[in-house]
Amino acid sequence: MDPSASASPPHAGLDTAPGLPLAVEQVDLRFGGIHALRGVSFAAAPGQVTAIIGPNGAGKTSVFNTISGFYRPAAGRILLGAEDVTHVPVHARAARGLARTFQNIALFRGLSVLENIKLGGHHTMKGGVLSALAYGPATRAEEMALRAEVERKVIDFLEIDHIRHQSVDALPYGLQKRVELARALAMRPRVLLLDEPVAGMNREETEDMARFILDVQEEWGVTVLLVEHDMGMVMDISSHVVVLNFGEVIASGTPAQVRAHPQVVEAYLGAEAVAA
Amino acid sequence: MSEFLEYSLLGILSGGVTALVALSFVLIYKGTGVVNFAVGEVMMLGAYLYYAGTVSFGLTPWVAFGLALGVLGLLAVAVERLVLRPLSGQPAVAVLMATIGMASIIHGGVEATWGGDTYSPPTLLPRTPLMLGEILIPGTVLGNFAVAALLIGGFLAFFRWSKTGIALRATASDPVTAATLGINVNYAQRLTWVLSSLVGTVAGVLIASSAGLSPLLAAAALSVFAALILGGLDSVLGAIVASLIVGWVEAVAAGYLGGKSRDVVPYVVVLAIMVVRPYGMFGTRTIERL
């Protein structure tokens, strides 16, 4: 199946290319004697929401950090679209359409909301005198205009216009999470990794965030891969769920299939629950 | 009164070069978290290369200056790649010791090559003094201040508005996140070392061409610590303001209490201020949970 053809809902918001498929193939990751990931394989379908769940220490964040490029797997590969990016440095993956948020909010303190979001568009700008000569002022102006347009849309979309000039330090937690998502969207991603997007949020904030994630996926056709502990939210918004336990994939499928899987029930509730 | 005005004015003007040296420290500390103890030696090496270019090879001062900048810039690239990057992730003390080691190597190399004599390299700037009523301001003091002010203004604008400057700030504040946004962190850190080295070279050449050149020049960087502590190691603006204050205190102390007091009084003043503001005037306040 041709991913670019299948994953093209009309993305009215952003002038981006549609979501790319992401595949993790037989990834092995070790830290000294600890075998953090063992032959992990799964795929995130283009333009869909895929979730990774699992108990604490199952290796969820390790998977994310390997996809981002912070960890080099001992074996296996990461495919972004058709390209093997296993050995591509972290910063170069941004240019290939990979964006992420962090479990602990990673905004630049001391900068305003808008400045933080603008940094998301950083990699799209050809800076410096040489490239200005090479690409010409017209291309540059066009790029600037497109960037401003994306920033405006992202800010409208996430309903953070009223705080755009505030410093991020003073914002409530839920809004900070939203600004971090905005910055990731300003990167015009084709694959978006969300590390616990609703951790620590109250019911209302969680519902808002779930709605934003679905809108991002539906309107812009971005491939979304998320790690989350809030089961209700995962089951509501994901089309595909991957379950990790002790660094291995123990189940994957639709939310309904995964919920009924005996090994998943065991991992979450203990062996007695299965026997009972 | 006019005496006080004269001391004050000369002090504040001489604070400009102090601010350049402080900037050289702050750039590295902000950008890479390293306190670079080789700043004084970088200044000294730059100044000696300038001297060698003009006097030994007979180049015009501006050409020699440009060459000194080029050599020190390349040296910074090499040091970042060969010494500092392999040490990344090591404790701060290890990196600090490496900078002290580099300082001794440069210091020894310079003394072995040029000896301990004092030289007078040609001045880079015109020496026309300025008369302000009764007060005479030497041309070098004025020129040094002008160059320092231009350079510092340029840096502030660069960090505030340019794409690269913003990328450097982002890298300084959070390298991991900066990398995921597409900023090449290795490149940013290399650039930080190069910029700091260039600023140090400018300061070294300015000091050498107005006050003479000897291995003692490296010690000039140590006297900047009063300003650094006062301004906060991680604040560019703080370093500038504090340098002007320290320059002023030094000049006034030297004027009224005699030349020797200029080494002592600034530290006493800084100590007094630190009691009230332990993070410096502009430094980042950190709260440690115990």
Side-chain angles (χ1 to χ4, degrees):
Chain A
M1 129 182 139
D2 177 11
S4 56
S6 69
S8 310
H11 41 97
L14 286 179
D15 263 337
T16 57
L20 285 173
L22 172 77
V24 173
E25 289 183 353
Q26 293 298 325
V27 163
D28 250 45
L29 182 71
R30 292 162 198 266
F31 300 107
I34 297 169
H35 209 152
L37 297 176
R38 302 163 190 264
V40 169
S41 295
F42 65 86
Q48 305 286 317
V49 176
T50 303
I52 304 177
I53 61 171
N56 284 324
K60 304 183 296 292
T61 298
S62 292
V63 169
F64 260 36
N65 285 341
T66 310
I67 297 173
S68 289
F70 291 115
Y71 299 157
R72 274 293 131 75
R77 44 184 209 154
I78 308 289
L79 294 173
L80 190 59
E83 188 188 2
D84 181 352
V85 294
T86 318
H87 299 285
V88 172
V90 177
H91 66 89
R93 296 184 196 206
R96 289 163 167 77
L98 187 68
R100 76 171 283 181
T101 64
F102 290 85
Q103 192 173 338
N104 303 312
I105 293 167
L107 292 170
F108 296 109
R109 291 161 50 92
L111 297 186
S112 74
V113 168
L114 186 61
E115 286 171 317
N116 265 284
I117 292 172
K118 276 181 177 297
L119 271 163
H122 179 91
H123 71 95
T124 61
M125 286 283 294
K126 304 280 186 289
V129 183
L130 281 180
S131 58
L133 288 176
Y135 292 93
T139 319
R140 202 176 151 78
E142 211 171 280
E143 176 55 44
M144 292 279 281
L146 175 59
R147 219 181 127 181
E149 175 78 2
V150 169
E151 283 155 11
R152 194 183 57 71
K153 280 180 176 159
V154 164
I155 287 170
D156 277 356
F157 180 72
L158 290 178
E159 297 161 20
I160 48 177
D161 193 42
H162 59 296
I163 50 160
R164 60 195 294 158
H165 294 300
Q166 284 184 30
S167 163
V168 292
D169 307 11
L171 294 178
Y173 179 81
L175 275 180
Q176 290 196 8
K177 282 276 205 190
R178 220 189 279 180
V179 173
E180 208 190 357
L181 176 61
R183 184 179 63 191
L185 289 177
M187 294 173 72
R188 285 181 252 164
R190 303 181 71 180
V191 174
L192 178 61
L193 308 182
L194 303 173
D195 197 349
E196 300 203 14
V198 302
M201 284 189 175
N202 62 34
R203 196 71 245 158
E204 192 186 337
E205 287 170 331
T206 301
E207 279 166 10
D208 279 347
M209 185 55 90
R211 177 167 55 86
F212 289 131
I213 294 170
L214 278 180
D215 285 353
V216 165
Q217 177 252 332
E218 279 167 13
E219 288 184 29
W220 300 348
V222 178
T223 306
V224 178
L225 179 65
L226 62 95
V227 161
E228 187 46 66
H229 279 295
D230 187 318
M231 265 328 124
M233 181 207 174
V234 166
M235 297 301 171
D236 281 351
I237 72 171
S238 315
S239 55
H240 189 76
V241 179
V242 178
V243 190
L244 282 182
N245 198 18
F246 296 113
E248 285 178 290
V249 176
I250 58 170
S252 69
T254 64
Q257 286 169 337
V258 162
R259 212 189 323 238
H261 199 284
Q263 261 186 293
V264 177
V265 178
E266 187 184 327
Y268 271 89
L269 302 174
E272 297 85 357
V274 184
Chain B
M1 192 60 210
S2 81
E3 204 178 38
F4 178 75
L5 260 182
E6 183 175 349
Y7 295 149
S8 299
L9 208 57
L10 285 178
I12 289 172
L13 288 177
S14 70
V17 176
T18 311
L20 272 189
V21 183
L23 184 64
S24 186
F25 276 105
V26 172
L27 281 176
I28 301 267
Y29 184 77
K30 253 184 101 77
T32 66
V34 174
V35 180
N36 177 16
F37 274 91
V39 164
E41 276 67 23
V42 166
M43 288 165 50
M44 171 174 128
L45 181 60
Y48 272 98
L49 289 178
Y50 170 72
Y51 171 79
T54 48
V55 176
S56 312
F57 294 97
L59 301 171
T60 55
W62 284 100
V63 173
F65 180 55
L67 279 179
L69 285 176
V71 172
L72 266 293
L74 288 177
L75 193 68
V77 171
V79 164
E80 195 275 335
R81 186 71 195 82
L82 301 174
V83 181
L84 299 155
R85 203 178 306 166
L87 282 175
S88 80
Q90 300 297 316
V93 177
V95 187
L96 188 142
M97 293 310 290
T99 69
I100 295 179
M102 286 187 292
S104 340
I105 293 171
I106 298 177
H107 210 105
V110 165
E111 286 211 45
T113 312
W114 284 285
D117 298 338
T118 302
Y119 300 106
S120 307
T123 53
L124 208 51
L125 303 163
R127 276 183 179 274
T128 333
L130 181 73
M131 287 296 292
L132 274 181
E134 308 244 307
I135 305 170
L136 176 105
I137 300 170
T140 48
V141 172
L142 211 59
N144 287 357
F145 183 79
V147 171
L150 269 180
L151 203 55
I152 289 170
F155 263 103
L156 288 178
F158 168 75
F159 280 114
R160 185 80 188 79
W161 289 297
S162 81
K163 171 186 150 83
T164 311
I166 294 168
L168 287 186
R169 277 197 294 156
T171 307
S173 134
D174 183 347
V176 168
T177 307
T180 60
L181 295 181
I183 294 167
N184 185 338
V185 173
N186 283 337
Y187 171 78
Q189 301 210 328
R190 181 163 64 231
L191 186 62
T192 303
W193 283 93
V194 169
L195 289 177
S196 164
S197 170
L198 295 183
V199 170
T201 305
V202 173
V205 171
L206 288 180
I207 294 174
S209 67
S210 54
L213 174 61
S214 77
L216 282 177
L217 177 63
L222 292 182
S223 68
V224 170
F225 269 102
L228 282 177
I229 295 163
L230 183 60
L233 251 179
D234 60 356
S235 165
V236 173
L237 186 67
I240 295 162
V241 176
S243 298
L244 298 181
I245 293 176
V246 167
W248 175 76
V249 171
E250 271 184 5
V252 171
Y256 288 106
L257 305 172
K260 282 287 166 202
S261 68
R262 72 178 309 138
D263 296 332
V264 181
V265 176
Y267 282 95
V268 174
V269 173
V270 167
L271 213 62
I273 295 179
M274 293 305 290
V275 170
V276 188
R277 297 193 63 93
Y279 299 101
M281 292 185 304
F282 298 88
T284 310
R285 222 169 252 268
T286 51
I287 297 167
E288 263 180 50
R289 224 177 255 271
L290 293 177

